[in-house]
Amino acid sequence: MIRRRHRRRPGLSAEQVAVVCALGELLTVLDDFGVLALAVCAPALLALPLRRRLPLTALCATLPAVATWHLLLPAMITMYVVASSRSPGRTRLSCGLLCAAALCPWPLTAVGELTPSELLGTVEAAGLLSIGPTALGLLAGARAETEAQLVRLRASREREQRLGAERAVIRERARLARDMHDTISHHVSIIVVQAGALRSVETDPAKRADAESIREHGVRALEELRDMVGVLRGADGPVTVPAGPPRLADLPGLVADSMLDITADLPALAERSWRPGLETAAYRIVQEALNNVRKHAPGASVALSAAVAEDRGSLVLEVRNGPPGQRREGPGETTGGGHGLVGLRERAEQLGGRLTASPSAGGGFLVRAVLPL
């Protein structure tokens, strides 16, 4: 079944309706149309389109037509617009002018000829002519103001709901931070204590060095955990800024403690200043890349390079490892959850850079990050 699409006919605008109504009223005075009617009716009709931009001017242009009682509708329409503009002073002035024009008899010499009943009728007509559109305009203005208040109220309520949801997320984040701190610090503290005890009783220098390395890494992990938890719990109190965030100058120490066969090409990166966050992100990228080598390619040789690009617009980091030097066996094998590379890409993208990770020739792997300076 074929449905025919009907084009929607455009309706008349408020300006067109007002002009049509005024022209319709003009038909009622055609029999008495002369020079005076033309002189008062033409300005009244021409002023209608100006009633929103120049309301007082448009109203004054319609008053002669009201005084001669040739056209009343243009003045009433204009008075309605003035009253709906929510300007009390201008509304009172316009209503007084309209009422005075309606009370003024035409011709002026006919003042003494009015009977009491005619005078009363003139006053009533002038009151209805001026007060009626003024009341309707005030009502329309109040309605528009009420609708605007409702819109602002809805926006405020939505903002409060959004803030409430954000506060709930912050509270949950603080709770997770507390749980993470309690759980991880418990296990790492046990590792640190046992490593210290092993170092004190071990007689083999190599094993003592290994135990001391385990203890130092455990202590450092606890310090960084404390700093991270302090940041996560910043909503509950003052934000704790890590006392010593890692820097590019710390990369040689990271290489020395990695227990990997690493060939490092690290120029004097500490001799220049870096934008905030870049050094920490670069350090974490290298740290996670080396950690992945330990987990997925134990015994592999690693080539690490960190240097400023030739155009001096970015810092280029490369961690390239060869194939694994030994097979991973046993229940103690460390496996990742697959989130390491995702986190590295997110770190690079937050700084406006990019990170690629892909297999390289010979069964190795390459992690390359380009971070804008």
Side-chain angles (χ1 to χ4, degrees):
M1 182 177 180
I2 300 177
R3 295 183 179 179
R4 296 181 179 179
R5 295 182 179 179
H6 299 280
R7 293 184 178 180
R8 188 175 181 180
R9 297 180 180 179
L12 295 177
S13 64
E15 307 292 340
Q16 294 171 338
V17 171
V19 172
V20 169
C21 293
L23 290 175
E25 186 187 13
L26 184 61
L27 296 176
T28 63
V29 296
L30 287 180
D31 295 338
D32 193 25
F33 206 76
V35 177
L36 176 62
L38 179 63
V40 298
C41 292
L45 293 175
L46 294 175
L48 272 179
L50 302 176
R51 68 186 188 277
R52 299 193 183 277
R53 288 180 293 177
L54 301 171
L56 283 179
T57 302
L59 181 66
C60 292
T62 63
L63 294 181
V66 174
T68 57
W69 287 85
H70 281 90
L71 286 180
L72 304 179
L73 197 56
M76 297 176 67
I77 295 174
T78 306
M79 186 64 235
Y80 170 84
V81 174
V82 173
S84 62
S85 64
R86 300 190 299 276
S87 177
R90 187 166 58 182
T91 300
R92 287 193 294 267
L93 176 61
S94 301
C95 183
L97 290 175
L98 181 56
C99 184
L103 284 174
C104 180
W106 187 263
L108 295 177
T109 57
V111 176
E113 300 176 0
L114 294 177
T115 63
S117 60
E118 291 175 341
L119 182 60
L120 179 60
T122 302
V123 173
E124 292 175 348
L128 292 175
L129 182 66
S130 57
I131 297 175
T134 301
L136 291 177
L138 292 174
L139 180 62
R143 179 179 179 181
E145 180 66 23
T146 301
E147 292 178 351
Q149 291 285 357
L150 289 176
V151 170
R152 288 192 290 268
L153 181 61
R154 282 195 295 269
S156 177
R157 185 172 58 185
E158 292 174 357
R159 185 168 57 254
E160 288 294 330
Q161 292 176 350
R162 185 171 62 253
L163 291 176
E166 292 177 356
R167 285 193 293 267
V169 170
I170 291 174
R171 288 194 297 268
E172 181 65 14
R173 186 180 66 176
R175 185 189 66 81
L176 291 175
R178 290 192 298 269
D179 293 345
M180 181 179 67
H181 177 269
D182 296 342
T183 302
I184 298 179
S185 63
H186 170 72
H187 295 292
V188 176
S189 299
I190 293 176
I191 294 174
V192 171
V193 172
Q194 290 181 344
L198 179 61
R199 184 198 60 177
S200 62
V201 300
E202 185 60 52
T203 57
D204 187 352
K207 293 181 180 180
R208 284 175 61 87
D210 291 341
E212 176 62 19
S213 177
I214 293 173
R215 190 192 68 81
E216 290 179 355
H217 282 285
V219 172
R220 191 178 307 169
L222 285 175
E223 292 175 353
E224 293 189 3
L225 175 63
R226 244 187 334 263
D227 293 335
M228 295 298 178
V229 170
V231 173
L232 289 175
R233 297 185 61 184
D236 292 344
V239 177
T240 304
V241 180
R247 304 177 56 195
L248 288 173
D250 300 328
L251 285 180
L254 178 64
V255 171
D257 294 338
S258 63
M259 302 175 65
L260 294 172
D261 180 16
I262 299 179
T263 302
D265 180 14
L266 302 175
L269 299 176
E271 295 180 359
R272 61 172 297 167
S273 59
W274 308 90
R275 68 186 176 111
L278 186 142
E279 289 191 276
T280 301
Y283 183 92
R284 295 303 185 193
I285 289 174
V286 174
Q287 184 183 47
E288 181 62 24
L290 297 180
N291 187 35
N292 287 338
V293 173
R294 278 192 296 269
K295 291 190 295 185
H296 304 294
S301 60
V302 182
L304 167 64
S305 65
V308 178
E310 294 181 358
D311 58 359
R312 299 199 173 272
S314 59
L315 173 66
V316 180
L317 302 170
E318 286 190 358
V319 180
R320 184 191 302 270
N321 66 273
Q326 61 187 30
R327 184 179 300 275
R328 296 170 296 169
E329 296 179 351
E333 174 186 344
T334 303
T335 59
H339 301 290
L341 293 178
V342 175
L344 295 186
R345 289 193 180 94
E346 290 176 352
R347 284 184 180 274
E349 292 172 357
Q350 286 176 356
L351 294 174
R354 64 184 185 277
L355 183 140
T356 57
S358 59
S360 60
F365 203 80
L366 171 63
V367 176
R368 188 175 190 270
V370 179
L371 306 177
L373 299 179

